[in-house]
Coordinates of all heavy atoms in Angstrom, one line a residue:
M1000 N 91.8 112.0 114.7 CA 92.7 110.9 114.5 C 93.5 111.3 113.2 O 93.1 112.1 112.4 CB 92.0 109.6 114.3 CG 91.0 109.5 113.1 SD 89.9 108.1 113.2 CE 90.9 106.9 112.4
K1001 N 94.7 110.6 113.1 CA 95.6 110.9 112.0 C 95.4 109.8 110.9 O 95.2 108.6 111.2 CB 97.0 111.0 112.5 CG 97.3 112.1 113.4 CD 98.7 112.2 113.8 CE 99.1 113.2 114.8 NZ 98.6 114.4 114.9
A1002 N 95.7 110.2 109.7 CA 95.7 109.2 108.5 C 96.7 109.7 107.5 O 96.9 110.9 107.3 CB 94.3 109.1 107.9
I1003 N 97.3 108.8 106.8 CA 98.3 109.1 105.8 C 97.5 109.2 104.5 O 96.9 108.2 104.1 CB 99.4 108.1 105.7 CG1 100.1 108.1 107.1 CG2 100.3 108.4 104.6 CD1 101.2 107.0 107.2
H1004 N 97.5 110.3 103.9 CA 96.8 110.6 102.6 C 97.8 110.6 101.4 O 98.8 111.2 101.5 CB 96.1 111.9 102.7 CG 94.9 112.0 103.5 ND1 95.0 112.0 104.9 CD2 93.6 112.0 103.2 CE1 93.8 112.0 105.4 NE2 92.9 112.0 104.4
L1005 N 97.3 109.9 100.3 CA 98.0 110.1 99.1 C 97.5 111.4 98.5 O 96.3 111.6 98.3 CB 97.6 108.9 98.1 CG 98.2 109.0 96.7 CD1 99.7 108.9 96.7 CD2 97.6 107.9 95.8
I1006 N 98.4 112.4 98.3 CA 97.9 113.7 97.9 C 98.3 114.0 96.4 O 97.7 114.9 95.8 CB 98.5 114.8 98.8 CG1 100.0 114.8 98.8 CG2 98.0 114.7 100.2 CD1 100.7 116.0 99.4
K1007 N 99.2 113.2 95.9 CA 99.5 113.3 94.4 C 100.2 112.0 94.0 O 100.8 111.3 94.8 CB 100.4 114.5 94.1 CG 101.8 114.5 94.8 CD 102.5 115.8 94.4 CE 103.9 115.8 95.1 NZ 104.6 117.0 94.7
F1008 N 100.1 111.8 92.7 CA 100.8 110.6 92.2 C 102.3 110.9 92.0 O 102.7 112.0 91.7 CB 100.1 110.2 90.8 CG 98.7 109.9 91.0 CD1 97.8 110.6 90.2 CD2 98.2 108.9 91.8 CE1 96.4 110.3 90.3 CE2 96.8 108.7 91.9 CZ 95.9 109.4 91.2
G1009 N 103.1 109.8 92.2 CA 104.5 110.0 92.0 C 105.3 109.3 93.0 O 104.9 108.3 93.6
E1010 N 106.5 109.8 93.2 CA 107.4 109.2 94.2 C 106.9 109.2 95.6 O 106.3 110.2 96.0 CB 108.8 109.9 94.1 CG 109.5 109.7 92.8 CD 109.8 108.3 92.5 OE1 110.3 107.6 93.4 OE2 109.6 107.9 91.3
S1011 N 107.1 108.2 96.3 CA 106.6 108.0 97.7 C 107.0 109.2 98.6 O 106.3 109.6 99.5 CB 106.8 106.7 98.3 OG 108.2 106.4 98.3
S1012 N 108.3 109.6 98.4 CA 108.8 110.7 99.3 C 108.0 112.0 99.2 O 108.1 112.8 100.1 CB 110.3 110.9 98.9 OG 110.4 111.4 97.6
E1013 N 107.2 112.2 98.1 CA 106.5 113.4 97.9 C 105.0 113.2 97.8 O 104.2 114.2 97.7 CB 107.0 114.1 96.6 CG 108.5 114.5 96.7 CD 109.0 115.1 95.4 OE1 108.2 115.2 94.5 OE2 110.2 115.5 95.4
A1014 N 104.6 112.0 97.7 CA 103.2 111.7 97.4 C 102.2 111.6 98.6 O 101.0 111.7 98.4 CB 103.1 110.3 96.7
F1015 N 102.8 111.6 99.8 CA 101.9 111.4 101.0 C 102.0 112.6 102.0 O 103.0 113.3 102.0 CB 102.4 110.1 101.7 CG 102.1 108.9 100.9 CD1 103.2 108.3 100.3 CD2 100.9 108.3 100.8 CE1 103.0 107.1 99.5 CE2 100.7 107.2 100.1 CZ 101.7 106.6 99.4
E1016 N 101.0 112.7 102.8 CA 100.9 113.7 103.8 C 100.1 113.2 105.0 O 99.0 112.6 104.8 CB 100.2 114.9 103.2 CG 100.2 116.1 104.2 CD 99.6 117.3 103.4 OE1 100.4 118.0 102.7 OE2 98.4 117.6 103.5
I1017 N 100.5 113.4 106.2 CA 99.8 113.0 107.4 C 98.8 114.1 107.7 O 99.2 115.3 107.8 CB 100.7 112.8 108.6 CG1 101.6 111.6 108.3 CG2 99.8 112.5 109.9 CD1 102.7 111.4 109.4
R1018 N 97.5 113.7 107.8 CA 96.4 114.7 108.0 C 95.5 114.2 109.2 O 95.4 113.1 109.4 CB 95.5 114.9 106.8 CG 96.3 115.5 105.6 CD 95.3 115.7 104.5 NE 96.0 116.4 103.4 CZ 95.4 116.8 102.3 NH1 94.1 116.5 102.1 NH2 96.1 117.4 101.3
E1019 N 94.9 115.2 109.8 CA 94.0 114.9 110.9 C 92.6 114.7 110.2 O 92.2 115.5 109.3 CB 93.9 116.1 111.8 CG 93.3 115.9 113.2 CD 94.1 114.9 114.0 OE1 95.3 114.9 114.0 OE2 93.4 114.2 114.7
I1020 N 91.9 113.7 110.6 CA 90.5 113.4 110.0 C 89.6 113.2 111.2 O 90.0 112.8 112.3 CB 90.5 112.3 109.0 CG1 90.9 111.0 109.7 CG2 91.4 112.6 107.8 CD1 90.7 109.7 108.8
A1021 N 88.3 113.3 110.9 CA 87.3 113.0 111.9 C 87.2 111.5 112.1 O 87.4 110.7 111.1 CB 85.9 113.5 111.4
K1022 N 86.9 111.1 113.3 CA 86.7 109.7 113.6 C 85.5 109.2 112.9 O 84.4 109.8 113.0 CB 86.6 109.5 115.1 CG 86.5 108.1 115.6 CD 86.5 108.1 117.1 CE 86.3 106.7 117.6 NZ 86.3 106.7 119.1
P1023 N 85.6 108.1 112.1 CA 84.4 107.6 111.4 C 83.3 107.2 112.3 O 83.5 106.7 113.4 CB 84.9 106.4 110.6 CG 86.4 106.5 110.7 CD 86.7 107.3 111.9
E1024 N 82.0 107.4 111.9 CA 80.9 106.9 112.6 C 80.7 105.4 112.3 O 80.9 105.0 111.2 CB 79.6 107.6 112.2 CG 79.6 109.1 112.6 CD 78.3 109.8 112.4 OE1 77.2 109.1 112.4 OE2 78.3 111.0 112.1
I1025 N 80.4 104.6 113.3 CA 80.3 103.2 113.2 C 78.9 102.8 112.7 O 77.9 103.2 113.3 CB 80.5 102.5 114.5 CG1 81.9 102.9 115.0 CG2 80.4 101.0 114.3 CD1 83.1 102.5 114.1
K1026 N 78.8 102.1 111.6 CA 77.5 101.6 111.1 C 77.2 100.2 111.7 O 78.1 99.5 112.2 CB 77.6 101.4 109.6 CG 77.9 102.7 108.8 CD 78.0 102.5 107.3 CE 78.5 103.8 106.6 NZ 78.7 103.5 105.2
A1027 N 76.0 99.8 111.7 CA 75.6 98.5 112.1 C 76.4 97.4 111.4 O 76.5 97.5 110.2 CB 74.1 98.3 111.9
G1028 N 76.9 96.5 112.1 CA 77.6 95.4 111.5 C 79.1 95.7 111.2 O 79.8 94.8 110.7
H1029 N 79.5 96.9 111.5 CA 80.9 97.3 111.3 C 81.7 97.5 112.6 O 81.1 97.6 113.7 CB 81.0 98.6 110.5 CG 80.5 98.4 109.1 ND1 81.1 99.1 108.0 CD2 79.5 97.7 108.5 CE1 80.5 98.8 106.9 NE2 79.5 97.9 107.2
V1030 N 83.0 97.5 112.5 CA 83.8 97.8 113.6 C 84.8 99.0 113.2 O 85.0 99.2 112.1 CB 84.7 96.6 114.1 CG1 83.7 95.5 114.5 CG2 85.6 96.2 113.0
L1031 N 85.3 99.6 114.2 CA 86.4 100.6 114.0 C 87.7 100.0 114.6 O 87.7 99.6 115.8 CB 86.0 102.0 114.7 CG 87.1 103.0 114.6 CD1 87.3 103.5 113.2 CD2 86.7 104.2 115.5
I1032 N 88.7 100.0 113.8 CA 90.0 99.4 114.2 C 91.0 100.6 114.4 O 91.2 101.4 113.5 CB 90.5 98.4 113.2 CG1 89.5 97.3 113.0 CG2 91.9 97.9 113.6 CD1 89.9 96.4 111.8
K1033 N 91.6 100.6 115.5 CA 92.8 101.5 115.7 C 93.9 100.8 115.1 O 94.5 99.9 115.6 CB 93.0 101.8 117.2 CG 94.1 102.8 117.4 CD 94.3 103.2 118.9 CE 95.4 104.2 119.0 NZ 95.5 104.7 120.3
V1034 N 94.3 101.3 113.9 CA 95.4 100.6 113.1 C 96.7 100.8 113.8 O 97.1 101.9 114.1 CB 95.4 101.2 111.7 CG1 96.5 100.6 110.9 CG2 94.0 100.9 111.0
Q1035 N 97.4 99.7 114.0 CA 98.8 99.7 114.5 C 99.8 99.3 113.5 O 101.0 99.6 113.6 CB 98.9 98.8 115.7 CG 98.0 99.2 116.9 CD 97.9 98.2 118.0 OE1 97.9 97.0 117.8 NE2 97.9 98.7 119.2
A1036 N 99.4 98.7 112.4 CA 100.3 98.3 111.3 C 99.4 98.2 110.0 O 98.3 97.8 110.1 CB 100.9 96.9 111.6
S1037 N 100.1 98.6 108.9 CA 99.4 98.5 107.6 C 100.3 98.0 106.6 O 101.5 98.4 106.6 CB 98.9 99.9 107.2 OG 98.3 99.9 106.0
G1038 N 99.9 97.1 105.8 CA 100.7 96.5 104.7 C 100.7 97.4 103.5 O 99.8 98.3 103.4
I1039 N 101.7 97.3 102.7 CA 101.7 98.0 101.4 C 101.7 96.9 100.3 O 102.7 96.1 100.2 CB 103.0 98.9 101.3 CG1 103.0 99.9 102.4 CG2 103.0 99.5 99.9 CD1 104.3 100.7 102.4
N1040 N 100.6 96.8 99.6 CA 100.5 95.8 98.6 C 100.6 96.4 97.2 O 100.8 97.6 97.0 CB 99.3 94.9 98.8 CG 98.0 95.7 98.6 OD1 97.9 96.6 97.7 ND2 97.0 95.4 99.4
F1041 N 100.5 95.5 96.2 CA 100.7 95.9 94.8 C 99.6 97.0 94.4 O 100.0 97.9 93.7 CB 100.5 94.7 93.9 CG 100.9 94.9 92.5 CD1 102.2 95.3 92.1 CD2 100.0 94.8 91.4 CE1 102.6 95.5 90.8 CE2 100.4 95.0 90.1 CZ 101.7 95.3 89.8
A1042 N 98.4 96.9 94.8 CA 97.4 97.9 94.5 C 97.7 99.2 95.1 O 97.6 100.3 94.5 CB 96.0 97.4 95.0
D1043 N 98.3 99.2 96.3 CA 98.7 100.5 97.0 C 99.8 101.2 96.2 O 99.8 102.4 95.9 CB 99.2 100.3 98.4 CG 98.1 99.8 99.3 OD1 96.9 100.2 99.2 OD2 98.4 98.9 100.1
V1044 N 100.8 100.4 95.8 CA 101.9 100.9 95.0 C 101.4 101.5 93.6 O 101.8 102.6 93.2 CB 103.0 99.9 94.8 CG1 104.1 100.4 93.8 CG2 103.6 99.5 96.1
N1045 N 100.6 100.7 93.0 CA 100.1 101.2 91.7 C 99.2 102.4 91.9 O 99.2 103.3 91.0 CB 99.3 100.1 90.9 CG 100.3 99.2 90.2 OD1 101.4 99.6 89.8 ND2 99.9 97.9 90.0
A1046 N 98.4 102.5 92.9 CA 97.6 103.7 93.2 C 98.5 104.9 93.4 O 98.2 106.0 92.8 CB 96.7 103.5 94.4
R1047 N 99.6 104.7 94.1 CA 100.5 105.8 94.3 C 101.1 106.3 93.0 O 101.4 107.5 92.8 CB 101.6 105.4 95.3 CG 102.5 106.6 95.8 CD 103.9 106.5 95.6 NE 104.6 105.2 95.6 CZ 105.5 104.9 94.7 NH1 105.9 105.7 93.8 NH2 106.1 103.7 94.8
R1048 N 101.3 105.4 92.1 CA 101.9 105.7 90.8 C 100.9 106.3 89.8 O 101.2 106.7 88.7 CB 102.6 104.5 90.2 CG 103.8 104.0 90.9 CD 104.3 102.8 90.3 NE 105.6 102.4 90.9 CZ 106.1 101.2 90.8 NH1 105.5 100.2 90.1 NH2 107.3 100.9 91.4
G1049 N 99.6 106.2 90.2 CA 98.5 106.7 89.3 C 98.1 105.6 88.3 O 97.5 106.0 87.3
L1050 N 98.4 104.4 88.6 CA 98.2 103.3 87.6 C 97.1 102.4 88.0 O 96.8 101.4 87.4 CB 99.5 102.5 87.4 CG 100.7 103.2 87.0 CD1 101.9 102.3 87.0 CD2 100.5 103.8 85.6
Y1051 N 96.3 102.7 89.1 CA 95.3 101.8 89.6 C 93.9 102.4 89.4 O 93.6 103.4 90.0 CB 95.5 101.5 91.1 CG 94.7 100.4 91.6 CD1 94.9 99.1 91.2 CD2 93.7 100.6 92.5 CE1 94.2 98.0 91.7 CE2 92.9 99.6 93.1 CZ 93.2 98.3 92.6 OH 92.4 97.2 93.1
H1052 N 93.2 101.9 88.4 CA 91.9 102.6 88.0 C 90.9 102.7 89.1 O 90.0 103.5 89.0 CB 91.4 102.0 86.7 CG 90.8 100.6 86.9 ND1 91.6 99.5 86.9 CD2 89.5 100.2 87.1 CE1 90.8 98.4 87.1 NE2 89.6 98.8 87.2
D1053 N 91.0 101.8 90.1 CA 90.0 101.8 91.2 C 90.4 102.7 92.4 O 89.7 102.8 93.4 CB 89.7 100.4 91.8 CG 88.9 99.6 90.8 OD1 88.1 100.2 90.0 OD2 88.9 98.4 90.9
C1054 N 91.5 103.5 92.3 CA 92.0 104.4 93.3 C 90.9 105.4 93.5 O 90.4 106.0 92.6 CB 93.3 105.0 92.9 SG 94.0 106.1 94.2
P1055 N 90.5 105.7 94.8 CA 89.6 106.8 95.0 C 90.2 108.1 94.7 O 91.4 108.3 94.5 CB 89.3 106.7 96.5 CG 90.4 105.9 97.1 CD 91.0 105.0 96.0
P1056 N 89.3 109.1 94.5 CA 89.8 110.5 94.2 C 90.8 111.0 95.2 O 90.6 110.7 96.4 CB 88.6 111.3 94.1 CG 87.4 110.4 94.0 CD 87.9 109.1 94.6
L1057 N 91.8 111.7 94.8 CA 92.8 112.3 95.7 C 92.2 113.5 96.4 O 91.4 114.3 95.8 CB 94.0 112.7 95.0 CG 94.7 111.5 94.3 CD1 96.1 112.0 93.7 CD2 94.9 110.3 95.2
P1058 N 92.5 113.8 97.7 CA 93.4 113.0 98.5 C 92.7 111.8 99.0 O 91.5 111.8 99.2 CB 93.7 113.9 99.7 CG 92.5 114.9 99.8 CD 92.0 115.0 98.3
A1059 N 93.4 110.7 99.1 CA 92.8 109.4 99.5 C 93.7 108.7 100.5 O 94.9 108.8 100.5 CB 92.7 108.5 98.2
V1060 N 93.0 107.9 101.4 CA 93.7 107.0 102.3 C 93.8 105.7 101.7 O 92.7 105.1 101.4 CB 93.0 107.0 103.7 CG1 93.8 106.0 104.6 CG2 93.0 108.4 104.3
L1061 N 95.0 105.2 101.4 CA 95.2 103.9 100.8 C 95.1 102.8 101.9 O 94.8 103.1 103.0 CB 96.5 103.8 100.0 CG 96.7 104.8 98.9 CD1 98.0 104.6 98.2 CD2 95.6 104.8 97.9
G1062 N 95.4 101.6 101.5 CA 95.5 100.5 102.5 C 94.4 99.5 102.5 O 93.2 99.8 102.7
Y1063 N 94.8 98.3 102.1 CA 93.9 97.2 102.1 C 94.1 96.3 103.3 O 93.2 95.6 103.7 CB 94.1 96.3 100.8 CG 93.4 96.8 99.6 CD1 94.0 97.7 98.7 CD2 92.2 96.3 99.3 CE1 93.4 98.1 97.6 CE2 91.5 96.7 98.1 CZ 92.2 97.6 97.2 OH 91.5 98.0 96.1
D1064 N 95.3 96.2 103.8 CA 95.7 95.2 104.9 C 96.0 96.0 106.2 O 96.9 96.8 106.1 CB 96.9 94.4 104.4 CG 96.8 94.0 103.0 OD1 95.9 93.4 102.6 OD2 97.8 94.3 102.3
V1065 N 95.3 95.7 107.3 CA 95.7 96.3 108.5 C 95.7 95.3 109.7 O 95.1 94.3 109.6 CB 94.7 97.5 108.9 CG1 94.7 98.5 107.8 CG2 93.3 96.9 109.1
G1066 N 96.4 95.7 110.7 CA 96.3 95.0 112.0 C 96.2 96.1 113.1 O 96.7 97.2 113.0
G1067 N 95.4 95.7 114.1 CA 95.3 96.7 115.2 C 94.3 96.2 116.3 O 94.2 95.0 116.5
V1068 N 93.7 97.1 116.9 CA 92.8 96.8 118.1 C 91.4 97.4 117.8 O 91.3 98.5 117.4 CB 93.4 97.4 119.4 CG1 92.5 97.1 120.6 CG2 94.8 96.8 119.6
I1069 N 90.4 96.6 118.1 CA 89.0 97.1 118.0 C 88.8 98.2 119.0 O 89.0 98.1 120.2 CB 88.0 96.0 118.3 CG1 88.1 94.8 117.4 CG2 86.6 96.5 118.3 CD1 87.7 95.0 116.0
E1070 N 88.4 99.4 118.4 CA 88.2 100.6 119.2 C 86.7 100.8 119.5 O 86.3 101.4 120.5 CB 88.8 101.8 118.5 CG 88.8 103.0 119.3 CD 89.6 104.1 118.6 OE1 90.8 104.0 118.5 OE2 89.0 105.2 118.3
D1071 N 85.8 100.4 118.5 CA 84.4 100.5 118.7 C 83.7 99.5 117.8 O 84.2 99.0 116.8 CB 84.0 101.9 118.3 CG 82.6 102.4 118.8 OD1 82.0 101.6 119.5 OD2 82.2 103.5 118.5
V1072 N 82.5 99.1 118.2 CA 81.7 98.1 117.5 C 80.3 98.7 117.2 O 79.8 99.4 118.0 CB 81.6 96.7 118.2 CG1 83.0 96.1 118.4 CG2 80.9 96.9 119.6
G1073 N 79.8 98.3 116.0 CA 78.5 98.8 115.6 C 77.4 97.8 116.1 O 77.7 96.7 116.6
E1074 N 76.2 98.2 116.0 CA 75.1 97.4 116.4 C 75.1 96.1 115.7 O 75.4 96.0 114.5 CB 73.8 98.2 116.1 CG 72.5 97.4 116.5 CD 71.3 98.2 116.1 OE1 71.4 99.5 116.0 OE2 70.2 97.6 116.0
G1075 N 74.8 95.0 116.4 CA 74.8 93.7 115.8 C 76.1 92.9 115.8 O 76.2 91.8 115.4
V1076 N 77.2 93.6 116.1 CA 78.5 92.9 116.2 C 78.7 92.2 117.5 O 78.7 92.9 118.5 CB 79.6 93.9 115.9 CG1 81.0 93.2 116.0 CG2 79.5 94.6 114.6
D1077 N 78.8 90.9 117.5 CA 78.9 90.2 118.7 C 80.1 89.2 118.7 O 80.3 88.5 119.7 CB 77.6 89.5 119.1 CG 77.1 88.5 118.0 OD1 77.8 88.3 117.1 OD2 76.0 88.1 118.2
H1078 N 80.8 89.1 117.6 CA 81.9 88.1 117.5 C 83.3 88.7 117.9 O 84.3 88.0 118.0 CB 82.0 87.5 116.1 CG 82.2 88.5 115.0 ND1 81.2 89.4 114.6 CD2 83.3 88.8 114.3 CE1 81.7 90.1 113.6 NE2 82.9 89.8 113.4
V1079 N 83.3 90.0 118.1 CA 84.5 90.7 118.6 C 84.1 91.8 119.5 O 82.9 92.2 119.5 CB 85.4 91.3 117.4 CG1 86.0 90.3 116.5 CG2 84.6 92.4 116.6
K1080 N 85.0 92.3 120.4 CA 84.7 93.3 121.3 C 85.8 94.3 121.4 O 87.0 94.1 120.9 CB 84.5 92.7 122.7 CG 85.6 92.0 123.3 CD 85.3 91.3 124.6 CE 86.4 90.6 125.3 NZ 87.3 89.8 124.5
V1081 N 85.5 95.5 122.0 CA 86.5 96.5 122.1 C 87.7 95.9 122.9 O 87.6 95.2 123.8 CB 85.9 97.7 122.9 CG1 87.0 98.7 123.3 CG2 84.8 98.4 122.1
G1082 N 88.9 96.2 122.3 CA 90.2 95.7 122.9 C 90.7 94.5 122.3 O 91.9 94.1 122.5
D1083 N 89.9 93.8 121.4 CA 90.4 92.6 120.7 C 91.5 93.0 119.7 O 91.3 94.0 119.0 CB 89.3 91.9 120.0 CG 88.4 91.0 121.0 OD1 88.7 90.9 122.2 OD2 87.4 90.5 120.5
S1084 N 92.5 92.2 119.6 CA 93.5 92.4 118.5 C 93.0 91.7 117.2 O 92.5 90.6 117.3 CB 94.8 91.8 118.9 OG 95.4 92.5 119.9
V1085 N 93.1 92.4 116.1 CA 92.5 91.8 114.9 C 93.4 92.2 113.7 O 94.3 93.1 113.7 CB 91.1 92.4 114.6 CG1 90.1 92.0 115.6 CG2 91.1 93.9 114.5
T1086 N 93.3 91.4 112.6 CA 93.8 91.8 111.3 C 92.6 91.9 110.4 O 91.5 91.3 110.7 CB 94.7 90.7 110.7 OG1 94.0 89.5 110.6 CG2 95.9 90.6 111.6
A1087 N 92.7 92.7 109.4 CA 91.5 92.9 108.5 C 91.9 93.3 107.1 O 93.0 93.8 106.9 CB 90.6 94.0 109.1
M1088 N 91.0 93.1 106.2 CA 91.1 93.6 104.8 C 90.1 94.7 104.6 O 88.9 94.5 105.1 CB 90.9 92.4 103.8 CG 91.8 91.3 104.0 SD 93.4 91.6 103.4 CE 93.2 91.8 101.7
S1089 N 90.5 95.8 104.0 CA 89.5 96.9 103.7 C 89.6 97.2 102.3 O 90.5 96.7 101.5 CB 89.9 98.1 104.6 OG 91.1 98.6 104.2
R1090 N 88.7 98.0 101.8 CA 88.7 98.5 100.4 C 89.2 99.9 100.5 O 88.4 100.9 100.5 CB 87.3 98.4 99.8 CG 87.2 98.9 98.5 CD 87.6 97.8 97.4 NE 87.2 98.3 96.1 CZ 88.1 98.3 95.1 NH1 89.3 97.8 95.3 NH2 87.7 98.8 94.0
F1091 N 90.5 100.2 100.6 CA 91.1 101.5 100.8 C 90.7 101.9 102.2 O 89.8 101.3 102.9 CB 90.8 102.5 99.8 CG 91.4 102.2 98.5 CD1 90.7 101.8 97.4 CD2 92.8 102.3 98.3 CE1 91.3 101.5 96.1 CE2 93.4 102.0 97.1 CZ 92.7 101.6 96.0
G1092 N 91.3 103.0 102.7 CA 90.9 103.5 104.0 C 91.6 102.8 105.2 O 91.5 103.2 106.3
G1093 N 92.5 101.9 104.9 CA 93.2 101.1 105.9 C 94.4 101.8 106.5 O 94.9 101.5 107.5

């Protein structure tokens, strides 16, 4: 699957790169969302500028706000199912 990585701090035109990554393994109680839209919020902008102290080490996938479709569900998840449209908040990785 593809993900947009922050590879260096600075101007957005040079700070990002699309990379292929392994599909995450689903943990119990979690879901995998096929992201169709992602917001850019103040934390993301500051992370790109190198001003957000909680930014994960580079290269990093930013993104707190996403919308998409459930692709897989972990054990114990029964309130959504594969194919459901959802919005979600994440702690980076969105």
Side-chain angles (χ1 to χ4, degrees):
M1000 62 190 276
K1001 294 184 189 317
I1003 299 173
H1004 287 74
L1005 177 64
I1006 58 169
K1007 64 181 179 179
F1008 301 123
E1010 294 299 317
S1011 58
S1012 61
E1013 299 175 358
F1015 296 100
E1016 183 174 278
I1017 298 173
R1018 294 183 174 183
E1019 199 65 39
I1020 62 171
K1022 185 175 175 179
E1024 291 187 30
I1025 304 301
K1026 299 176 185 175
H1029 290 217
V1030 299
L1031 178 65
I1032 299 171
K1033 182 174 184 175
V1034 175
Q1035 297 172 321
S1037 178
I1039 299 173
N1040 64 38
F1041 191 62
D1043 296 321
V1044 172
N1045 278 332
R1047 191 235 331 139
R1048 291 179 173 160
L1050 302 174
Y1051 193 68
H1052 70 276
D1053 285 338
C1054 182
L1057 302 186
V1060 178
L1061 304 181
Y1063 276 90
D1064 320 302
V1065 300
V1068 176
I1069 299 288
E1070 189 171 295
D1071 200 359
V1072 297
E1074 182 180 337
V1076 175
D1077 57 9
H1078 60 286
V1079 293
K1080 63 185 181 312
V1081 172
D1083 284 353
S1084 294
V1085 295
T1086 60
M1088 300 289 293
S1089 64
R1090 177 88 170 128
F1091 291 111

